[in-house]
Amino acid sequence: MLIKRRFAIAFIVAALLTGVFSVAHAADIAVIHSSEVPSRWTDAFVRGLADGLGDAASIEQGWLGPPDRGDDFFETRFEVLGKQFSDTEPAVVITDGSTAFSFIRKYRESLFPGVPVVYCSIPRPEPEYLGQCGECTGIPMPLSMRETVHLIFRLRPDTTTVVGIMDGSPESLKYRREVEAAMEPYLDRAEIVFPGHEYGDEGGLDAELIRTVANSVPRRGAVLFLGFDRDNAGKQVDPAAIVETLVARSAAPVFGLTDQWIGSGMLGGVMVRAQAQGKAAAKVVQRILAGEPASEMLPEAVHPVPVIDFTALARFGIQSTRLSGETVAVNVPQHPEEPSGAISTGTVLGLAGVAFLVLIAVAIRRRSGCPRGRKSGQ
């Protein structure tokens, strides 16, 4: 009995030591987001990252903000993040978005000296930028402008107008050129316009003008949201509020380039899902933790897929048969092909049949209720 007790104690002690050891050696991963606050994108990205890493690492997040606030703002963020990570020695730093990547290129050696960097949520950077972040690799995420334009016309071949919403930033101007190139096969039957950024209408947009634009979109049109962070007065705006306005006021469906807005009423687009981007980043982190040099890696981009909100699809009466087999369906109603609140023809006929049977049963009961041998009216 004493020997068994000693073995049991030894087993418990060994288990406890093993647990302590594994926790102590779990890698710390720092994720620096470009945004100032969490969003659908950041939540899904970190969820995918955590799913991919499992118990192999713990994740700590840092937040930045819009890049046009100036050097003083980012110096302040540098100080804040320095305090936040003062007791942490991350094994890998992940940047989420272009602002975070630029920030880490400037401050990595002060914040995380010698730590490998994995960029995410941006197109493939120029080689010189990769060299500025030391031991660096990443998951490129090109935006699928051309594929999203093709999706618009596959779902609604009779589209006559595509309305591009942009804020005039250098990034959005680049997107505009790509959209215009993608529209070329359709210019014999449709037009592309960018309100606030056309010849004779170059004043840009603000929240009130966007409401006006949304109200004027024709039913056979489509809205393509390219991003909107600053209005024509340079004032920062909430892009989520802009998408909400477009969805609520436009008589045509709204399309986008990232799944951050899926679930807000936007119909969809061809895009990389945030959770898939996070899982891809987790695979790269695991390779780094296994000893592979980050600078020698060439990870492939995550394949973009059509992501469609089926409730929005039903709202505009679009048949799901127009979608490709790789489409990711979200927000699927019980009857996606029927307008919200509609009753199917089969249901109406079924109810009518039941009512008819009830009437027959009532009539039979009334007839059988008359006493035998007694005429009606006696």
Side-chain angles (χ1 to χ4, degrees):
M1 179 66 70
L2 181 60
I3 293 175
K4 289 184 179 179
R5 185 174 298 173
R6 287 178 177 175
F7 271 118
I9 293 173
F11 177 81
I12 293 172
V13 171
L16 289 172
L17 288 175
T18 302
V20 171
F21 181 82
S22 62
V23 172
H25 283 73
D28 290 317
I29 307 300
V31 180
I32 308 300
H33 297 286
S34 294
S35 58
E36 195 169 10
V37 294
S39 65
R40 284 192 184 98
W41 174 272
T42 61
D43 290 346
F45 177 85
V46 172
R47 187 163 60 249
L49 179 65
D51 290 344
L53 292 175
D55 297 330
S58 61
I59 300 170
E60 184 166 356
Q61 303 176 70
W63 307 89
L64 294 176
D68 54 359
R69 291 189 178 180
D71 292 338
D72 291 342
F73 173 77
F74 284 103
E75 285 291 341
T76 301
R77 297 308 303 160
F78 164 70
E79 294 174 3
V80 170
L81 292 176
K83 293 177 181 178
Q84 177 182 342
F85 290 96
S86 60
D87 297 328
T88 304
E89 295 182 4
V92 180
V93 175
I94 297 175
T95 63
D96 175 26
S98 57
T99 302
F101 183 58
S102 298
F103 180 85
I104 286 299
R105 294 204 319 268
K106 181 175 182 179
Y107 294 106
R108 183 187 72 102
E109 282 305 312
S110 300
L111 277 176
F112 310 111
V115 177
V117 174
V118 178
Y119 69 81
C120 293
S121 312
I122 58 172
R124 192 182 301 277
E126 296 294 332
E128 62 178 296
Y129 294 152
L130 287 176
Q132 293 171 1
C133 66
E135 190 69 13
C136 188
T137 188
I139 312 293
M141 192 187 79
L143 298 179
S144 303
M145 261 77 70
R146 180 177 298 276
E147 292 80 2
T148 297
V149 169
H150 294 338
L151 176 66
I152 291 172
F153 286 92
R154 185 165 71 245
L155 295 182
R156 305 186 86 199
D158 60 347
T159 298
T160 59
T161 305
V162 177
V163 180
I165 301 298
M166 53 183 278
D167 60 9
S169 64
E171 191 174 50
S172 69
L173 292 173
K174 177 185 175 183
Y175 297 161
R176 172 181 177 163
R177 290 191 293 270
E178 294 184 35
V179 170
E180 288 174 332
M183 279 291 298
E184 288 182 2
Y186 308 103
L187 292 180
D188 60 334
R189 50 180 159 140
E191 63 175 348
I192 175 74
V193 295
F194 294 91
H197 303 279
E198 296 287 350
Y199 180 75
D201 175 27
E202 300 172 338
L205 295 172
D206 56 23
E208 182 60 34
L209 287 172
I210 286 177
R211 283 192 287 271
T212 302
V213 169
N215 288 334
S216 65
V217 176
R219 291 187 179 277
R220 292 174 59 189
V223 178
L224 181 54
F225 181 70
L226 302 181
F228 198 94
D229 296 311
R230 294 273 169 179
D231 66 14
N232 52 9
K235 180 182 176 182
Q236 183 183 354
V237 297
D238 180 9
I242 300 300
V243 172
E244 182 180 348
T245 296
L246 294 171
V247 168
R249 292 176 175 268
S250 173
V254 179
F255 294 81
L257 303 174
T258 71
D259 76 344
Q260 179 173 353
W261 314 117
I262 299 297
S264 63
M266 178 179 284
L267 195 148
V270 179
M271 54 192 66
V272 172
R273 304 210 71 188
Q275 192 164 353
Q277 185 81 352
K279 288 183 177 180
K283 292 180 180 179
V284 174
V285 169
Q286 289 171 333
R287 291 169 61 184
I288 294 174
L289 295 179
E292 187 175 350
S295 58
E296 296 179 9
M297 297 182 189
L298 290 173
E300 294 184 0
V302 178
H303 179 62
V305 295
V307 181
I308 298 295
D309 184 319
F310 267 51
T311 296
L313 196 75
R315 174 188 169 195
F316 291 99
I318 302 173
Q319 298 293 316
S320 61
T321 52
R322 297 183 182 274
L323 299 171
S324 66
E326 63 176 355
T327 298
V328 175
V330 299
N331 203 17
V332 181
Q334 289 185 346
H335 302 288
E337 299 299 339
E338 299 174 2
S340 177
I343 301 177
S344 68
T345 303
T347 301
V348 173
L349 291 175
L351 292 173
V354 171
F356 180 70
L357 291 174
V358 170
L359 289 173
I360 291 176
V362 170
I364 292 173
R365 174 170 290 188
R366 285 180 176 176
R367 177 173 295 181
S368 62
C370 293
R372 293 182 180 179
R374 185 175 182 181
K375 294 182 180 180
S376 177
Q378 290 182 345

